[in-house]
Structure formats: C-alpha cells, structure tokens
Amino acid sequence: MKDTDEFRKRNKEGHKNGRGPEKNLFPVFPVDRSGKCILFSGGVCRPFFYAGNALDRDCGGRVGDVVSVRGVRTCRFTGTGVCGCRDTGGGGRKVGRWLFCVADCGVGRGYVAFIRDDGIFFRLGETDNPAGLAACLAICFPAALYFMASRPVGAKVWGGLSALSMGAAVVLSGSRTGMVAVGCLAATSVYRFFLGGRWPAWRVRAAFVSVGAVMLAGLYCWKKDSADGRLLVWNCSLEMLADAPLTGHGPDAFQAEYMDYQAGWLAEHPEEKWERLAGNVRHPFNEYLRIAVEYGVAGLLLVAGVIWLLWRWYRRCRPEDRPLYRSIGGAGICGLFSYPLNYPAVCVLLVLLLGVIVRGRPVCFYGGRWFKTGIGALAVAVLAVTLYWNRAEREWHRISCLSLNGRTEEVLTDYARLYPFMRENPLFLYNYGAELHVAGLWTASLSILTECVRGLNDTDVQMLLADNYSRLGEYDRAERHYRRAARMCPNRFMPLYRLVKLYGQTGRDAEARQLAGEIIVKPVKVPSFRVDRMKREMEKYLRKP
C-alpha cells in the first residue's frame, strides 16, 4: 500500500495555485462603522497588495501586523502628497495617485521577498513559486518608472528606490520570465527618456532585437533543462489544440486531458532526454496557449481583440496614462512563459488597472436607476458566494491539517459534509479519495476518484486508482492504471515498483524480474532515499532463488 504521507501530499498541494486557503491570510477586509477601513502594513500604502493577499491562497509566510487606516481614496491622496505629484490637468493627478498605489504594492512585494519575520533571507515573497512574485513586480514596475521620470525630486528618489528594489527582487528570485518582463519594460523606458528622437528607428529596432536575442539565449542556457521542459509541454499542448482547434476542449480541460497527450507524445518520441524532463503538468506555461487549448481559436481571437483595443487606446492616450498600459503589458509578457493568472493577487492588480483605464471611456455604459440597482444586487450576490466558498475552503484547510496529523477517521465526516459544495474542485476530490483509501473504503474512494479524473488526471490520480483496484483484487485494472501512470511520467519509479509487487502477488515472476532489472538500471532524475531503497529492494528480489 502506498505510504500515508505520499497519499496525503495533495492536502498541502490543494492549497497551492489558488486552490485552497492558508493559515495566515485575511479572508475579508476589516470594515469600521464608516466603511473606510482596509488592510495596511509595512509601508506607505498597500491596499491592493493586501487585497490580492486576501485572495492569494499561495502565501506561505506572515505578512505583518494589520493596522486600520482610512479608505483607498485617503491612501491615494497620501501617495500624491508624499511623491509631490502635481495636477497636470485632465485627471493627471488622479492617475498619479493610482500609480502610486500600484508602485507601492510592488515595493511591498519586493520588501517581503528580502526579509522574513525570523530574519532569514528568502526569495519567493508570499508565493510558492517565483513566478507569482515576478508577475506582480512586473505589473508594478512601470509605475515606479513613472515617478522616477517625473520632475519633483521626492518622486524621483522614491521611484528610483522602488524600481531598484523591484528589479533586485526579480533577479534574486531567479525567475527568468520576470527578468524578461522587467528588462523589456526598462528598455522601453530607456528608449523613451534617453534615445527617443536621437537614434533613427531602424537602429533602435536593431538594438532591441539584438539585446533581446542575447538575453533570451543567456536565460535559456542558464536553466536549459527547465527551458526544454517547457518545449515539451508546448509540443504536447499544440497536439491538444490540433484535436479541437475551433472551440477547444472546454474550461479547465487542460489539467484533465494533458497528461494523456504527454504519454502519447512520449510514446512516439522515446528519447531519454524527453522522458527525463516529463513531470506532472497542470499548466502549459503560456496563458495564450492555455486559452487556445481550452477555448479554441474563438477564445484566442477574443483575447486578441482585447489586446488590439488596449493597443489602440495606448497610442491615443495621454503620456501620464501610459504606465497603466505598460503594467498590463508586463503581465502579458509574463503570460508568454509562465502562468500569472493562477495568482489571485495578479488578477486583482489587473482588474484595478483595467478599471482605471476603462473609466471614462465610451465603452462604459451608465444606465438608469434600475440598471444600477441590478448591477449592485449582482455584485452583492457574487460577494456572498465568494465569502461562502471562502468559508468552505477554510474548513477544508482545517480538516486537511487534522488528516496530516493522522486523524483520518475524524475528518471523513467533515469531508462528506463539504462534498456537495466542493465536488467541482478536483483537488478536494483527490484529497477526499485519498482519505477514503487510507481508511480502507476502497470502493467509495474509487467513486470519488472517478469524478476527480474529469477535472484532474495525472500520475498521482492514476496511482491511487491502481492501488484501490489492487486492494479490491481487480489486478487487471490495477495493472492498466499502473502502466498508464508510468507512461505519463516515465522517469517515475513508483509505478514500476508497484507493478513488480503486483506481478509478485499474481505469480508472474518472470515479468516481475524483468521489470526489477529495468528499475535497477533506470537513470535517476532527482536522487532520494526512497529511490535508493527501491533499487536496493529490487536487487534483493533478483537475488532470490
């Protein structure tokens, strides 16, 4: 039987990638009687940074103390006063206030990336992966450059220090995507403030292309295996797109179907290089490719239309509005090589920026009283549903902590109570199925995992299905699922190890010995004690008469 800790690893994984809450987050904003209290900590003004943290369920560390201050409008005026922004006419001061909020969010993210409460240096900020930190900083970086290029000395100093801290945080995080995004944004600013009108257009384009090519080549060689792994994922994703080019495979279909496509692609290209790079994948490392896979060319054309509209507005906007568009462009660059939309903090910042841009545009429609009342009622309903789901996920977090402490029997009742409300969450279904397996309820576990496969189908799910069938004595089905898991990730040892055990139980000694020999000579991707133990056990098995 699979180790209990291995079965329960998704109890922690379920709280990653925006799928589950963490302990030290703020589920709702504290509001005083006047309705003007928001979260604030460690800086001049970070309301939207903590708005993102209230939703960002990937945070791993404490954010700091919570101090109630007045509302967003007060924070915006405070930012304007500190940086010395002047009214440029036509709403320029308002844009400056919003940009200050966005830039200060980036300072907050960079600050947390350097120092933790216990004084230990670390690099990931609040997220489980540098991609989330780098995406937030790429969005905030143009706002810092805006103040760096302004006239007041205070604004220049604050903007320069903010840009420096954000750039240093991105470099120290090791995120190549963040470096590309910040480098592109910095290059456009250098051109605007130092080279604009001095160099001919062809020379500027040639310089940008040359520097960009050198940067991409250097970043590729820096972590070549990781870059090749992305190429593998993109190849398999393009095969998915080829099977449903017009309408796609449907919402959230990538993590339900991708691993089977990867297994088929690896079977057609049986090279050790690709097998070594394969792993459990739930995102194609390209937001545009994910949209194309799930929604087809139709969805991609819709996104292209939005980008074209923003570009058109950017060409016609005032100079002080352009950092707003560049911030969205920073997120767009990150989306080429990463998954920024997996982080709710990024989504909050993008919604803020789009709201500031769209405000006052002819695309806005201001209806009558009934229309406004309907929009308000819809907003209240969405907020109520969000709070309800937040409560359910916090309860899931509580019972998952209990299960990690070995109290499986106690949490099964709570899982059954949450099941009707969270049955659409595949990670919840995996956790529930794993707990049922540990409790010995293998038939019930199979029923839950059958639903899970429709939303999440990877090596771990197939392994759990195989173990359930093995416990029920359905060895043929167990073998099929073990082999399917091995094809999805050929570098994994556990599926082959379980197959050897299965063959030994069913009297197929010749096949068991052959597979044991393959395990002994199989190259190791990541050395570990568990892999060494399996290899030693296979050597003992072959020495048996």
Side-chain angles (χ1 to χ4, degrees):
M1 189 183 74
K2 201 173 184 181
D3 293 338
T4 302
D5 292 341
E6 186 176 346
F7 274 134
R8 289 170 175 160
K9 66 180 179 180
R10 289 272 177 104
N11 279 326
K12 290 184 177 180
E13 197 169 310
H15 305 291
K16 297 179 181 179
N17 302 321
R19 298 292 186 178
E22 289 288 344
K23 285 183 180 180
N24 301 318
L25 300 185
F26 310 100
V28 294
F29 295 115
V31 180
D32 62 8
R33 293 182 180 179
S34 63
K36 294 182 178 179
C37 282
I38 60 173
L39 295 175
F40 180 90
S41 175
V44 180
C45 148
R46 298 192 185 104
F48 301 108
F49 167 55
Y50 290 108
N53 279 347
L55 298 176
D56 196 340
R57 294 179 285 265
D58 300 309
C59 299
R62 263 182 17 189
V63 192
D65 299 327
V66 180
V67 181
S68 295
V69 296
R70 296 187 67 82
V72 174
R73 183 176 298 276
T74 304
C75 290
R76 289 167 53 209
F77 276 101
T78 304
T80 304
V82 170
C83 290
C85 299
R86 299 182 181 275
D87 193 348
T88 58
R93 186 175 183 180
K94 293 182 178 179
V95 174
R97 295 166 188 162
W98 284 114
L99 288 173
F100 176 81
C101 291
V102 174
D104 200 56
C105 293
V107 175
R109 291 250 163 188
Y111 167 78
V112 179
F114 288 114
I115 303 296
R116 196 165 58 188
D117 290 338
D118 55 9
I120 298 177
F121 177 86
F122 78 122
R123 300 186 301 177
L124 296 184
E126 305 86 16
T127 58
D128 63 329
N129 191 292
L133 171 67
C136 288
L137 294 178
I139 293 173
C140 300
F141 191 70
L145 295 178
Y146 168 83
F147 290 104
M148 187 177 174
S150 58
R151 291 185 177 181
V153 176
K156 284 181 177 292
V157 173
W158 187 84
L161 292 176
S162 299
L164 182 62
S165 66
M166 294 182 204
V170 169
V171 173
L172 291 173
S173 72
S175 171
R176 293 160 297 165
T177 300
M179 295 178 195
V180 170
V182 170
C184 291
L185 295 170
T188 57
S189 298
V190 169
Y191 168 71
R192 179 188 175 192
F193 297 117
F194 300 103
L195 301 180
R198 302 179 184 178
W199 282 16
W202 68 267
R203 182 179 295 180
V204 173
R205 294 193 187 98
F208 281 176
V209 171
S210 301
V211 173
V214 172
M215 176 184 290
L216 290 176
L219 293 176
Y220 173 81
C221 297
W222 180 20
K223 296 181 180 179
K224 189 175 183 299
D225 286 345
S226 176
D228 289 338
R230 278 172 166 77
L231 294 178
L232 168 64
V233 175
W234 290 345
N235 283 328
C236 300
S237 300
L238 290 175
E239 288 197 357
M240 291 185 67
L241 177 59
D243 286 345
L246 295 180
T247 58
H249 293 262
D252 297 327
F254 183 87
Q255 64 179 4
E257 302 181 23
Y258 169 82
M259 293 301 293
D260 285 327
Y261 278 89
Q262 178 172 281
W265 195 91
L266 291 173
E268 296 176 0
H269 304 80
E271 302 176 17
E272 191 273 333
K273 168 188 175 181
W274 300 118
E275 292 180 355
R276 178 173 53 85
L277 296 174
N280 273 342
V281 178
R282 287 196 298 236
H283 198 285
F285 298 98
N286 187 302
E287 293 288 358
Y288 310 100
L289 186 55
R290 181 186 66 82
I291 292 171
V293 167
E294 295 184 351
Y295 301 98
V297 176
L300 199 59
L301 288 176
L302 180 61
V303 174
V306 173
I307 294 174
W308 174 82
L309 183 62
L310 290 173
W311 173 253
R312 184 180 178 185
W313 288 351
Y314 172 77
R315 297 296 298 271
R316 300 179 180 180
C317 71
R318 299 168 303 176
E320 59 268 20
D321 291 342
R322 289 187 175 178
L324 300 172
Y325 295 89
R326 289 177 182 147
S327 293
I328 295 177
I333 295 173
C334 290
L336 290 171
F337 309 101
S338 187
Y339 37 86
L341 296 183
N342 273 24
Y343 297 92
V346 173
C347 297
V348 169
L349 284 170
L350 289 178
V351 169
L352 164 68
L353 293 168
L354 288 172
V356 176
I357 289 173
V358 172
R359 187 179 181 183
R361 291 279 177 179
V363 71
C364 293
F365 170 71
Y366 299 96
R369 183 179 64 179
W370 290 107
F371 177 80
K372 295 178 180 179
T373 302
I375 293 296
L378 178 62
V380 171
V382 171
L383 177 61
V385 172
T386 302
L387 293 177
Y388 177 80
W389 277 102
N390 180 270
R391 179 181 178 184
E393 290 197 343
R394 289 178 67 84
E395 178 66 11
W396 174 26
H397 172 70
R398 183 188 67 81
I399 63 177
S400 68
C401 291
L402 294 177
S403 68
L404 289 174
N405 292 328
R407 300 163 65 178
T408 299
E409 301 294 339
E410 300 179 27
V411 303
L412 287 180
T413 304
D414 295 321
Y415 268 109
R417 177 171 49 83
L418 291 176
Y419 170 72
F421 311 106
M422 301 194 68
R423 62 186 305 173
E424 301 299 326
N425 187 331
L427 288 175
F428 172 84
L429 294 176
Y430 179 90
N431 286 4
Y432 190 14
E435 295 298 339
L436 289 170
H437 177 92
V438 173
L441 304 174
W442 303 302
T443 303
S445 177
L446 284 174
S447 177
I448 296 297
L449 291 174
T450 302
E451 296 184 50
C452 175
V453 166
R454 292 195 287 266
L456 174 64
N457 184 22
D458 61 9
T459 304
D460 295 325
V461 175
Q462 292 299 318
M463 287 292 296
L464 190 51
L465 285 167
D467 286 335
N468 280 323
Y469 281 121
S470 178
R471 287 303 223 169
L472 292 171
E474 300 185 36
Y475 298 117
D476 291 339
R477 289 189 174 184
E479 180 183 359
R480 286 200 296 270
H481 285 286
Y482 281 136
R483 290 203 172 275
R484 190 175 178 184
R487 289 194 300 270
M488 287 178 172
C489 289
N491 52 59
R492 295 285 183 94
F493 282 80
M494 187 58 70
L496 302 180
Y497 175 79
R498 294 295 182 191
L499 274 174
V500 173
K501 294 293 186 181
L502 181 66
Y503 291 155
Q505 292 177 1
T506 55
R508 300 159 65 178
D509 187 65
E511 295 177 75
R513 287 180 173 275
Q514 179 183 355
L515 198 54
E518 294 179 11
I519 292 175
I520 293 173
V521 300
K522 186 179 179 64
V524 179
K525 179 180 179 180
V526 180
S528 67
F529 171 77
R530 176 172 293 180
V531 172
D532 293 339
R533 187 186 65 183
M534 284 189 284
K535 282 179 173 284
R536 288 195 301 268
E537 189 172 341
M538 293 300 101
E539 291 173 354
K540 292 180 181 178
Y541 185 81
L542 291 180
R543 287 197 295 266
K544 290 193 308 183

